[in-house]
Structure formats: structure tokens, C-alpha cells
Amino acid sequence: MIPVKTIEWIGGLDGVARLIDQTLLPGELRYLDVRDVETMWEAIRMLRVRGAPAIGIAAAMGMVLAVRDCAPDRRDAFLAAVERAAAYLNSARPTAVNLSWATRRMQSLVIRHPDLSVEALKWRMLDEAKAMVDEDNAVCQAIGRLGEPLIRDGDSWLTHCNAGGLATAQWGTATAPIYMAHAAGKRIHVFADETRPLLQGARLTAWELQQVGVPVTVITDNMAATVMAQGKVQGVIVGTDRMAANGDFANKIGTLGVAVLAKEFGVPFYVAAPTSSIDMRLASGEAIPIEERRPEEVSEGFGRRTVPPGVRIYNPAFDVTPHRYVTAIITERGIVHPPFHEGLRALFERLPSSQP
Ligand code: MRU
């Protein structure tokens, strides 16, 4: 069975960006048709669409929505609208580099074609946004093919948050090797960390693995040590929102703890990282901006107050895992082993135009 489509464009320039409203899962599978850039900004900010590659695609579609009504004979106003839309969408969430990667890609498309009319540029932007969906599918499937041999028949792997189909256009980064192993007939079982405070592991990863028929067990985040100590985990695989040039990477809060545990218990720890999530401009993970979210996500998660009123809350949405905890990085271009600095540099030297 094929994972569901997380986001796609329906129709022509007057069409809609259709996305699964992930805040409603697992209770309800409802699609949201987004028709304007403000609604797209809100959808990204509120995690209706989430996960680094998916918000990149959403931002690209948001750029189309922002400029499609620009007057065809007012080029300056159109160019200004492109710039404004990029800055606006980039402000929705700071950590995942895919967001600004996608808006930059749309901006550079416009800059590269001074010969085209405003109307032609709008269509080119739409084609580019649609192409990102196809590319994302190809990238995730390549990660899946490369990562699948790491999984042995009968293995249990642990994952944190949701780096699955719901975090991309369809296949997921961390889940792609799992889906491929499952399709190849290997018996693979997944431990999904619940992932406090917003429960992406319990609500989303468990949901999508169940849809495809992969056996999954949800554990609360503080149970990861126990399942590893009990020898129940043969591998860990996570995604990333932004990886620095040395292999340090940001991912959902709690990933660092899982990585430290994996090292302690001798469990290989893999990061599935499309090259669009690797920010070669950052030397190390220290420079990755970390999103801090509303305290109520911790104190009143899912409608019930669990912290006394007046108590301070700290709610960073991501943490940074130093590269020394990483066994290997699975990109669509190959598996990178330590030393990551050299491996990633070599990868990007073969890919000169991949970062707009
Ligand atoms: O806050 P979220 O739900 O957008 O966080 C998502 C994650 O941390 C994912 O693990 C990450 O984006 C990798 S996506 C393939």
C-alpha cells in the first residue's frame, strides 16, 4: 500500500494547494484547500502542514498563491510581491531550512528569467512548485532504496517525531527505508516515540505506519531507554529539519536524548537527510535557529491543563544533536559516513547548483 499524499496542487494557476490538516489526525483525515498566502502561513505556523520537506513545498505553493493575482502589466509590483511573499513565508517557522530553501528557489527562478512576462513567470512558479513534489518523491524513494539494506528481517527500529510521509509529499525520509523493507517482505517493527508536547510520533507516525500495514508500537519518550536496555531496538532512524556542514543536526526536541541513549546501548543511529535539509552555510549546529513555541503546548496540551497556573514553561521545539552520535547520514545521493565534514563537502561538490 502507498502512503497518502500530504500536499499537492490541484488545477491550474487558479487552483488550490490541497493538504492534509495534520492537527486533526489521527481522529480525522480532512483535507484543507488553501487559496491564499495568509492561510498557507497559518497552516505552516500551526503545524497543519509540518515536517521540513512538506513545509518547503507548502511555502513554494504559498509563493504562487501570493502572486497569482498580480497585474500582468506591472512587473515591479510583481517582483516586489515575490520578495514580500518569501520574507512573509520564511517568518512562519525558523528551524527547517527547507522553507527558506524553497522560497529562495522560487525567487531565483524569477530573477533568472527577466525575458519572461509576468503571466509566464506565474506559470513557471507553479510548475516549479509542482516539480518540488515530484522531486521530493524521487528523493525520498532514493533514501528508501539506500537505507533499506540496513534493515534486517525481524528488526525493530525506533524513530522520533514524524519524518514520515506526512512530513514530506508522500514517502517520508526516515520512513522510506522502513516502507521499502516492508514492501520487500522483511518483517520490520517500529517503536514510535510519542514525542511530547505535540505527539507527532503517536498521532502521525503511528497512524501512517498503520495505514501501510507496518507493525508499530507507541512508547512515551521516557521509555526509549528501557526498550534499548532490553535489547529490543536494532536501529534508530530520524529525520532532520536542518543539518550543518559538520553533520550536527536539528530535529524534533528529544532527538538528542535518543541519540545519547543509542550510543550508550550500542544501537546504530541514522539520520535520513535529503540534501535540501543540509545547510552547508552553517559550520556547526550551534548556529541553527531553534523555534520556541507557545507555553500552552506544554501546560494545556490537547485541552487539559496539566501544569499549575503561573508556573514558567520552556518549550523549544527542536534540539541539536552533535554529529559524534550519528552512525551515518542517508541522503538521496548516497550514505555519508564519518568524518561527515569531508563526506558532506564531497557530496555538495558533486551538486554545485543544489542550494539556490
Ligand atoms: O515541528 P514539526 O512537527 O514540523 O517537526 C518535524 C520534525 O522534527 C521532523 O522529524 C523533521 O522535520 C524531519 S521531516 C522529514
Side-chain angles (χ1 to χ4, degrees):
M1 206 179 137
I2 299 173
V4 291
K5 286 183 184 167
T6 303
I7 180 163
E8 62 181 324
W9 184 274
I10 308 289
L13 248 190
D14 57 353
V16 296
R18 180 163 295 167
L19 51 92
I20 295 177
D21 184 345
Q22 299 187 34
T23 61
L24 303 176
L25 287 172
E28 188 185 346
L29 176 59
R30 192 195 298 170
Y31 291 86
L32 179 68
D33 284 350
V34 181
R35 295 186 163 79
D36 57 72
V37 66
E38 290 80 14
T39 307
M40 188 60 93
W41 187 95
E42 193 270 356
I44 296 171
R45 179 74 197 150
M46 300 310 287
L47 275 56
R48 299 186 201 288
V49 58
R50 39 128 328 264
I55 63 176
I57 295 166
M61 293 181 180
M63 296 275 292
V64 176
L65 296 171
V67 302
R68 67 175 167 185
D69 292 329
C70 287
D73 54 347
R74 295 198 48 214
R75 192 177 193 86
D76 286 353
F78 169 76
L79 295 177
V82 168
E83 296 305 306
R84 227 179 12 254
Y88 176 57
L89 287 158
N90 289 347
S91 74
R93 297 191 74 188
T95 301
V97 71
N98 305 63
L99 208 168
S100 56
W101 174 87
T103 54
R104 253 198 333 275
R105 186 164 150 176
M106 299 297 259
Q107 287 170 291
S108 71
L109 171 85
V110 170
I111 291 163
R112 280 202 319 276
H113 292 99
D115 49 315
L116 292 181
S117 69
V118 166
E119 222 42 29
L121 282 170
K122 291 181 192 173
W123 280 99
R124 288 292 274 265
M125 287 173 74
L126 177 58
D127 290 345
E128 190 80 354
K130 286 180 171 173
M132 283 187 200
V133 173
D134 297 337
E135 276 172 31
D136 182 79
N137 284 330
V139 161
C140 291
Q141 287 180 26
I143 288 174
R145 276 192 298 276
L146 287 164
E148 186 273 328
L150 300 168
I151 299 174
R152 289 162 309 178
D153 185 36
D155 272 2
S156 269
W157 281 38
L158 183 143
T159 190
H160 190 74
C161 191
N162 174 266
L166 290 166
T168 64
Q170 188 165 12
W171 288 90
T173 55
T175 51
I178 293 166
Y179 288 141
M180 299 239 169
H182 178 70
K186 290 182 185 171
R187 285 162 304 158
I188 166 80
H189 163 265
V190 175
F191 282 109
D193 279 352
E194 179 186 45
T195 317
R196 280 278 290 154
L198 295 181
L199 309 188
Q200 289 93 330
R203 293 189 304 107
L204 308 177
T205 302
W207 180 83
E208 69 165 83
L209 291 175
Q210 188 186 48
Q211 298 289 308
V212 178
V214 176
V216 55
T217 303
V218 172
I219 54 173
T220 61
D221 301 340
N222 49 1
M223 295 171 190
T226 291
V227 291
M228 286 194 211
Q230 291 171 341
K232 290 181 173 160
V233 180
Q234 286 72 49
V236 174
I237 188 161
V238 295
T240 178
D241 293 83
R242 190 186 299 232
M243 177 173 277
N246 68 348
D248 295 353
F249 72 100
N251 195 48
K252 179 53 56 191
I253 191 78
T255 303
L256 170 58
V258 175
V260 173
L261 289 172
K263 192 165 194 108
E264 171 65 23
F265 291 108
V267 176
F269 183 96
Y270 299 104
V271 187
T275 48
S276 59
S277 299
I278 304 174
D279 188 348
M280 293 300 281
R281 299 164 306 178
L282 301 186
S284 77
E286 280 163 37
I288 298 176
I290 299 295
E291 175 180 10
E292 227 183 285
R293 293 185 63 88
R294 293 184 311 120
E296 291 76 17
E297 290 182 353
V298 174
S299 61
E300 289 166 45
F302 302 92
R304 169 133 187 230
R305 177 163 268 281
T306 51
V307 180
V311 170
R312 274 195 300 274
I313 308 278
Y314 179 45
N315 186 20
F318 299 94
D319 57 26
V320 175
T321 299
H323 62 271
R324 65 177 180 279
Y325 292 109
V326 177
T327 307
I329 300 163
I330 309 170
T331 79
E332 76 275 19
R333 300 268 164 171
I335 299 184
V336 182
H337 297 277
F340 295 123
H341 191 260
E342 276 95 281
L344 291 175
R345 201 177 49 214
L347 193 84
F348 274 81
E349 274 166 9
R350 297 200 302 273
L351 250 186
S353 61
S354 66
Q355 288 218 330

